[in-house]
Amino acid sequence: MTSRLVPIGDTRLFIDERGRGYPVLVLHGGPGLDHHMYADYLDPLQDRLRLILVDQRAQGQSDPAPADTWSLAQMAADVGALAEALELERFAVLGHSYGALVALQHAVDFPGEAAQSIISSGFPSAKYLAHVDANLAAFEPESLRAQVADSWEREKSVRTREDVHRLLHDQMPFHFAHPLDPRIADFERRTADQITSPDVLRTFANREYGGIEVEERLGRVTQPVLVLVGAHDRVSSLAACRSIAEGVEQGEMVVFDNSGHMTFVEENPRYLEVVADFLRRHAQL
């Protein structure tokens, strides 16, 4: 395991490399989180993959960058810049949640730059955020509904890292299929070293989380795309993910029947198996 800052032009991105083999650039969610979001959940793939966990622009341990460069388009461009800086001739991209939006934007803006793209719990248009609003209004148990709804609203005014950690704790029941899942506490323990970026989160929360709009451009994507989603995901709907899988030329979709938004935690063995199988088939590992 090695960690370092990599210059990509106007800034430097922090990466945490694990394992050897076929390179996969791994993009965290948030925005405003860092590579610790994955904790050690992907580590079993190290025996066959070179996992390159990235702290995206101005987040985690990456260098500060001007606020006018905090955009979905720029972070998508950073993916190729990082791959070039690392001298990767062929690589895959895996993004979860907000990272899935970056991975999808990258696939559309730079078709074929990644040899494979894995979109984990994402959506192709901001219109699908209505799925979140509907699920907030109907969230059960009702005793947690106000807590969860308030946590989403607080993203728009968050100021400190402590604020981010508190709202994430209050929001986490929304992201698991079972809101009282005991694995929530385990996830929080395993991600305790996360360095949050409140300014980035606040900025994006007030801009529809980057305002992704690529649904009409999905046909541009030339590489194989794997779309992953939990059947009970309250953020990324089945319809949104189906739109991606059907909109690209070589799309596959896998639904995790017992998961919400945190598929790589809730059904970890199957998640790893699906990712490994996709890359084995398309990267000829």
Side-chain angles (χ1 to χ4, degrees):
M1 185 183 302
T2 61
S3 302
R4 57 191 166 114
L5 284 163
V6 180
I8 61 163
D10 68 326
T11 190
R12 296 186 301 172
L13 300 184
F14 181 85
I15 63 169
D16 185 347
E17 295 190 75
R18 306 176 184 184
R20 296 183 178 181
Y22 189 68
V24 183
L25 297 178
V26 183
L27 309 177
H28 61 79
L33 305 184
D34 74 358
H35 73 278
H36 288 99
M37 184 199 80
Y38 291 101
D40 55 357
Y41 290 100
L42 302 182
D43 284 3
L45 295 173
Q46 290 184 60
D47 62 347
R48 69 198 85 176
L49 299 173
R50 175 186 173 190
L51 300 173
I52 306 170
L53 279 64
V54 183
D55 284 358
Q56 297 183 70
R57 175 173 290 258
Q59 296 165 76
Q61 296 176 67
S62 290
D63 283 349
D68 61 5
T69 69
W70 302 352
S71 70
L72 193 58
Q74 181 60 62
M75 292 183 192
D78 289 347
V79 173
L82 178 60
E84 182 177 4
L86 295 174
E87 299 181 340
L88 304 180
E89 294 183 3
R90 198 160 181 263
F91 64 95
V93 176
L94 162 62
H96 181 79
S97 195
Y98 176 75
L101 307 190
V102 176
L104 184 58
Q105 187 77 50
H106 173 258
V108 170
D109 288 351
F110 306 96
E113 190 168 72
Q116 301 85 24
S117 296
I118 303 174
I119 311 301
S120 177
S121 300
F123 48 84
S125 170
K127 72 182 184 184
Y128 289 105
L129 286 170
H131 182 68
V132 176
D133 296 334
N135 284 316
L136 284 172
F139 183 70
E140 297 288 347
E142 188 174 356
S143 60
L144 293 178
R145 188 177 299 166
Q147 168 190 307
V148 168
D150 180 64
S151 73
W152 279 87
E153 189 60 29
R154 279 150 52 201
E155 291 186 1
K156 298 177 181 178
S157 58
V158 64
R159 292 290 171 184
T160 69
R161 288 176 177 172
E162 291 72 21
D163 291 342
V164 178
H165 284 292
R166 281 194 294 268
L167 75 83
L168 287 175
H169 174 77
D170 290 346
Q171 192 177 107
M172 201 51 62
F174 188 77
H175 296 306
F176 280 70
H178 303 288
L180 302 179
D181 193 323
R183 289 173 297 183
I184 294 176
D186 183 56
F187 173 75
E188 291 180 327
R189 178 185 59 80
R190 291 163 75 169
T191 59
D193 291 335
Q194 190 156 233
I195 298 173
T196 61
S197 303
D199 292 345
V200 174
L201 174 56
R202 184 180 68 254
T203 297
F204 277 86
N206 284 286
R207 297 179 183 171
E208 294 188 307
Y209 301 95
I212 190 167
E213 292 298 342
V214 299
E215 196 165 22
E216 302 305 317
R217 301 168 57 207
L218 291 170
R220 290 171 45 88
V221 180
T222 56
Q223 67 263 37
V225 175
L226 174 63
V227 182
L228 307 176
V229 63
H232 308 284
D233 195 329
R234 300 180 183 91
V235 176
S236 178
S237 68
L238 294 177
C241 290
R242 190 173 297 113
S243 174
I244 299 170
E246 294 177 355
V248 300
E249 184 178 342
Q250 301 182 69
E252 306 175 24
M253 178 171 160
V254 175
V255 178
F256 293 82
D257 294 334
N258 301 308
S259 291
H261 193 60
M262 302 300 289
T263 46
F264 68 93
V265 176
E266 295 170 275
E267 294 183 65
N268 181 254
R270 185 173 178 231
Y271 189 95
L272 299 178
E273 178 185 351
V274 167
V275 168
D277 176 68
F278 174 75
L279 293 176
R280 181 166 51 245
R281 287 185 288 112
H282 292 285
Q284 300 179 338
L285 301 183

